[in-house]
Amino acid sequence: MTGELTFAVKCEHILHPAICQMSVRFQRFIISELLTCVGADTVNQAVYEVQRRSRRQQCGVRAPVSGFQVMDPNLSCLILFNLICLVACTSENHQHNGSHHYDYCVVGGGPAGLQMGYFLSKAQRNYIILERNSGPGSFFNKYPRHRKLISINKIHTGRQNREFNLRHDWNSLLSDDPNLLFKRVSREFYPPADTFPLYLSMFVKELGLRVLYGVDIGKIRAVQSQTARRYLLTDQHGSHYFCSILLVATGLWVPQTVDFVGSDLVEGYESISTNPEDFKNQAVLILGKGNSAFETAQSILGSASRVHMLSSSPVRLAWQTHYVGDLRAVNNELIDTYQLKSLDGLVESRLEKIVIARKKDNGASRSGGKRKEKTEQLYLTLKKYVNVKNSSDVTREELPSHHIDNFPMRKPYDRVIRCLGFRFNFSIFDSSACPPNSENAKGRLPGLTAWYEATDTPGLFVLGTAGHSRDYRASAGGFVHGFRYTVRAVHRVLEQRYHTNNWPSTTLLTTQLQSWILKRVGEASGPYQMFAVLGDLILLRGSDCVYLDEFPLQALPQFSSLSGHTVPSRGLIVVLMQYGKKKIDYLGSNRAETDWTKAWKSNFLHPVLYYYETLPTKDDMKLLPEGWPLPRPKAIHHMVEDFLAEWESPISHIQPLRRFLEHCLQTDLRTFYAESCFRSSLTHHKPPPFCQQGYLKQQGVIHSSELQQHFPTSGLSG
């Protein structure tokens, strides 16, 4: 018997099933060795007997116990050969589930992981992205539950400048492809959530990123050798992935919970129904006052009889705090119905102090001697009123209304829903690799250095939403339009540390500096989105300077080691964007400052320049003045806020900036006509820099025959 069909029958009926699951090449090798061992006649006889037995079974005739009973004794060799092959099979399985080695492992195929993958791919590094689900951005296949993103997608800005437009495109990732933008999958201002995985899939495909799907990393541990520290990642199949640098971009997907009496009676945001009809005429209590809570409330306002919301703090509105993670206007309809007294409301209380309980005997009444079941209702009471601790069944005397007859939440609820956000998944880390809990964000996030490396865990960096502890409630690092820039900053740190590639920079003449700063503050999207977190650095060297984009400001004490640049003796200038520190009525009549002489009173986002003679130290960074992103500098300059966010007015913006730069550089930065430069070069030992670097180096209008013919009519020639 020969041929593909015969071979398939032989493998299925003669060899052990585990061998038949191996590659075709491996099966062919086994059959070849089998023929050598027992001979073709013996194998053919075995196949014939198995096929005959199969036909007898189909006809209802009982088959022999074993087809081998009628076969040659040489088949003992066949049995032995199967056992040997199983050992070989186990060896191949070990190779299949064996070790994989990379320089960089990115855990998570969401937007942060793919963004890092782009930079690693562009730098031609040895990397892999490991994603546990079947496609990128799987979080957005489920969340937000009510399927509308709150990240704006402003397509029309009136400008063609790509960098400027990214200030108002909160969904696109960074790449060199000008067409690889989110607007290709959605034109809506608040896009449907389903479009984001589509965009990420397009990003992966068109850039050719290396992503392994279906790899669920369940354990991460550090392995220390005599020469280096590496990370060992183990997936659900037992495969191992070794890497020198671990980049964790798993996001936040573990629901945040609070342990209180009756928490088992509460539904979770992750599992509630999204059909408003399921809440028809029901009283609903929502725990939480963030966007997920208000998103849920807004979806059921037209169906529920009343919706109450409870959390430990009052509502924080994004347009007041300038933090995009606070309540967005697109989700705040319940504030209207609360303030206009339409049955809905907001209450403050610590969740640890409440009890969600059933009232004893609440679910039964007697009618004709029969027990009649009623829908179970839930009551909110306070821990101090409950006699039996840890009991979710209370008596009437244990309800707040028994003690305070006008208690705000004295009526029962049909449902209680937990909407408290998400936390980082620490469970996948062994103790040798686990980052510490952050001091902010209630410990939901990992603690990180200013360059997003896990504290006391060298070589492990946390990207994206999970890295938000560095700017929690202060900037946009927890969201795509913010962390796409912090990921780029981390990659620049990696390039310097492991490949000795300095932080990208531009060398400018001092006469070019003012124009370059105006260009950056007018269009740069990184400092604009990551205000007070990422800033541009200018290293002053006399006649020229070195300009670095988007350096993590809190890492200034480690500037030289992270960037590969040194600060010259003349010092440095830091350019960043920041809001005012004063709390005001942001819709009041005096909300904006327009007088450039009072620019330091600006309330809205505006550029600020800090001049330091030397780098701030670690101690300086620990002793920041309240509300300041950086230590007190030698000199500081605020560019007055602008309604159009265009800092290009000659008197209000440009002239004050020039005077500040002249103060820092101790030089004249004015521009001059050729005649003035000529006169200055004759009367001064050292003409102004503009004349030195331009006129005296013949950097004026370039001579050409085309210009020559216009000289007589223009009056330029004698």
Side-chain angles (χ1 to χ4, degrees):
M1 289 184 176
T2 57
E4 191 69 23
L5 179 61
T6 303
F7 169 74
V9 174
K10 289 176 183 176
C11 181
E12 179 181 355
H13 295 291
I14 300 301
L15 300 182
H16 192 280
I19 301 174
C20 297
Q21 293 175 2
M22 295 299 99
S23 64
V24 172
R25 183 178 178 182
F26 184 73
Q27 293 177 32
R28 289 187 182 278
F29 169 76
I30 294 299
I31 290 294
S32 175
E33 294 299 313
L34 180 59
L35 290 170
T36 303
C37 175
V38 300
D41 292 341
T42 302
V43 173
N44 288 336
Q45 182 186 356
V47 173
Y48 170 76
E49 185 64 27
V50 170
Q51 291 176 332
R52 187 174 66 85
R53 181 179 57 188
S54 176
R55 288 193 297 269
R56 287 170 62 87
Q57 287 175 337
Q58 292 175 2
C59 297
V61 180
R62 181 170 178 171
V65 175
S66 171
F68 296 145
Q69 292 175 351
V70 297
M71 299 182 72
D72 190 278
N74 283 337
L75 284 181
S76 59
C77 182
L78 178 65
I79 298 172
L80 178 61
F81 194 82
N82 265 274
L83 294 175
I84 296 173
C85 290
L86 282 175
V87 175
C89 179
T90 303
S91 175
E92 179 162 300
N93 264 322
H94 177 73
Q95 293 297 322
H96 177 73
N97 296 330
S99 300
H100 311 270
H101 298 263
Y102 302 93
D103 291 338
Y104 296 91
C105 290
V106 182
V107 182
L114 299 184
Q115 184 67 86
M116 178 54 78
Y118 163 73
F119 290 120
L120 293 173
S121 179
K122 183 179 178 182
Q124 298 182 343
R125 302 303 173 202
N126 177 25
Y127 78 95
I128 194 65
I129 301 173
L130 305 174
E131 166 56 41
R132 63 180 182 146
N133 291 299
S134 58
S138 57
F139 177 87
F140 296 93
N141 291 328
K142 183 176 182 180
Y143 302 106
R145 294 300 313 282
H146 299 91
R147 312 313 293 144
K148 179 188 284 189
L149 299 177
I150 58 174
S151 48
I152 65 174
N153 181 38
K154 190 172 181 63
I155 296 174
H156 306 289
T157 65
R159 303 271 289 271
Q160 298 301 316
N161 187 307
R162 285 180 59 202
E163 182 69 14
F164 174 84
N165 288 343
L166 282 172
R167 289 182 169 187
H168 312 287
D169 175 357
W170 290 12
N171 300 285
S172 295
L173 298 182
L174 305 178
S175 77
D176 290 334
D177 187 344
N179 298 314
L180 198 51
L181 299 174
F182 185 80
K183 64 182 181 182
R184 283 175 56 183
V185 297
S186 177
R187 312 288 289 184
E188 296 184 43
F189 190 72
Y190 291 116
D194 294 331
T195 58
F196 199 63
L198 292 177
Y199 169 71
L200 296 181
S201 296
M202 180 177 72
F203 192 83
V204 171
K205 181 179 179 181
E206 296 191 14
L207 294 174
L209 302 184
R210 295 197 287 270
V211 186
L212 286 181
Y213 297 110
V215 178
D216 188 1
I217 299 299
K219 182 63 68 176
I220 297 175
R221 63 188 180 94
V223 180
Q224 185 70 50
S225 66
Q226 293 181 348
T227 57
R229 176 188 178 96
R230 293 193 304 166
Y231 289 93
L232 171 59
L233 289 61
T234 306
D235 69 11
Q236 74 274 32
H237 301 300
S239 294
H240 299 308
Y241 303 83
F242 286 93
C243 53
S244 301
I245 301 97
L246 176 59
L247 303 160
V248 180
T250 53
L252 306 179
W253 58 270
V254 179
Q256 172 75 352
T257 60
V258 176
D259 188 21
F260 58 86
V261 178
S263 58
D264 58 312
L265 302 176
V266 172
E267 302 174 66
Y269 171 74
E270 67 278 4
S271 59
I272 58 168
S273 169
T274 56
N275 182 3
E277 288 299 307
D278 291 342
F279 298 85
K280 189 173 182 179
N281 204 33
Q282 292 184 351
V284 180
L285 171 63
I286 297 177
L287 305 180
K289 294 199 192 103
N291 279 296
S292 63
F294 272 89
E295 164 210 328
T296 301
Q298 188 152 306
S299 72
I300 62 175
L301 279 181
S303 302
S305 60
R306 69 178 186 274
V307 179
H308 291 168
M309 305 184 73
L310 180 144
S311 70
S312 59
S313 59
V315 173
R316 290 183 287 247
L317 301 171
W319 59 266
Q320 288 181 325
T321 64
H322 303 127
Y323 174 58
V324 295
D326 284 336
L327 179 60
R328 303 286 300 286
V330 68
N331 282 330
N332 70 6
E333 290 181 9
L334 185 135
I335 293 180
D336 265 8
T337 59
Y338 169 45
Q339 293 293 335
L340 300 178
K341 303 306 291 181
S342 185
L343 299 179
D344 306 314
L346 306 172
V347 183
E348 286 74 48
S349 176
R350 291 185 59 83
L351 297 185
E352 295 86 350
K353 294 184 177 181
I354 70 169
V355 174
I356 301 297
R358 296 173 293 242
K359 187 177 178 182
K360 290 182 178 179
D361 298 327
N362 179 61
S365 63
R366 296 200 174 272
S367 177
K370 294 183 179 179
R371 185 179 179 86
K372 182 179 179 181
E373 296 296 331
K374 294 183 178 180
T375 303
E376 181 180 63
Q377 291 187 307
L378 303 174
Y379 288 80
L380 183 145
T381 185
L382 302 179
K383 209 170 183 179
K384 62 182 180 180
Y385 296 141
V386 178
N387 296 322
V388 181
K389 303 302 180 184
N390 301 321
S391 174
S392 56
D393 293 318
V394 296
T395 62
R396 189 177 69 84
E397 290 76 15
E398 294 174 308
L399 296 176
S401 57
H402 180 75
H403 305 271
I404 307 172
D405 62 356
N406 68 338
F407 184 74
M409 309 176 80
R410 57 187 177 272
K411 287 193 173 183
Y413 297 96
D414 297 293
R415 306 173 84 148
V416 181
I417 303 173
R418 165 183 41 78
C419 298
L420 302 176
F422 301 91
R423 63 182 294 112
F424 183 69
N425 181 21
F426 290 91
S427 66
I428 63 174
F429 295 91
D430 180 86
S431 58
S432 63
C434 188
N437 295 74
S438 62
E439 296 180 359
N440 57 11
K442 300 179 180 179
R444 296 187 299 119
L445 304 173
L448 306 174
T449 64
W451 50 96
Y452 299 89
E453 189 171 17
T455 307
D456 301 325
T457 313
L460 191 159
F461 294 80
V462 181
L463 312 176
T465 304
H468 191 32
S469 61
R470 288 306 314 175
D471 64 305
Y472 181 68
R473 299 196 48 74
S475 196
F479 312 90
V480 174
H481 65 288
F483 64 62
R484 60 191 178 192
Y485 304 103
T486 61
V487 169
R488 179 162 63 185
V490 171
H491 179 255
R492 289 170 173 173
V493 170
L494 298 175
E495 284 293 302
Q496 161 56 25
R497 180 185 294 184
Y498 300 107
H499 309 286
T500 64
N501 292 325
N502 290 354
W503 198 281
S505 63
T506 303
T507 301
L508 304 168
L509 297 173
T510 53
T511 53
Q512 300 172 308
L513 180 56
Q514 176 181 287
S515 298
W516 196 268
I517 292 174
L518 291 172
K519 173 182 171 66
R520 288 288 295 170
V521 300
E523 68 178 34
S525 56
Y528 191 88
Q529 303 290 21
M530 289 303 297
F531 54 88
V533 175
L534 297 179
D536 293 354
L537 271 58
I538 307 167
L539 308 182
L540 306 178
R541 303 194 305 191
S543 61
D544 66 7
C545 57
V546 178
Y547 200 105
L548 290 78
D549 298 345
E550 300 170 19
F551 189 82
L553 298 179
Q554 294 301 307
L556 276 179
Q558 296 82 16
F559 169 74
S560 296
S561 62
L562 295 177
S563 69
H565 296 268
T566 57
V567 176
S569 59
R570 294 177 179 267
L572 73 157
I573 296 174
V574 181
V575 184
L576 65 143
M577 308 291 286
Q578 68 181 61
Y579 283 93
K581 295 179 282 293
K582 186 179 178 182
K583 301 299 181 183
I584 64 166
D585 179 1
Y586 286 101
L587 294 180
S589 57
N590 297 319
R591 60 186 177 271
E593 182 58 65
T594 58
D595 185 353
W596 68 269
T597 65
K598 300 177 181 178
W600 58 276
K601 291 185 176 181
S602 296
N603 295 310
F604 289 88
L605 195 66
H606 63 285
V608 185
L609 286 78
Y610 292 70
Y611 169 62
Y612 296 96
E613 291 181 323
T614 59
L615 275 174
T617 65
K618 293 181 181 179
D619 290 337
D620 292 336
M621 301 303 292
K622 293 178 182 178
L623 301 174
L624 295 178
E626 184 178 359
W628 286 55
L630 289 173
R632 292 189 185 277
K634 178 74 173 179
I636 189 170
H637 175 67
H638 290 257
M639 297 179 68
V640 69
E641 60 186 323
D642 188 77
F643 181 72
L644 299 176
E646 297 176 356
W647 292 273
E648 56 187 17
S649 302
I651 296 176
S652 296
H653 299 129
I654 298 176
Q655 180 174 294
L657 172 63
R658 177 177 62 81
R659 296 304 300 271
F660 173 76
L661 294 176
E662 288 176 338
H663 170 73
C664 298
L665 296 168
Q666 292 296 298
T667 190
D668 188 347
L669 294 181
R670 290 177 295 172
T671 57
F672 296 89
Y673 291 110
E675 181 181 352
S676 299
C677 284
F678 176 72
R679 183 182 297 111
S680 178
S681 63
L682 294 178
T683 58
H684 292 76
H685 175 69
K686 188 177 181 180
F690 181 85
C691 297
Q692 294 181 47
Q693 299 169 3
Y695 175 77
L696 295 180
K697 291 186 177 181
Q698 300 181 359
Q699 297 297 313
V701 177
I702 300 175
H703 174 76
S704 69
S705 57
E706 186 177 350
L707 280 175
Q708 186 73 31
Q709 64 183 353
H710 294 292
F711 277 8
T713 58
S714 65
L716 294 175
S717 61

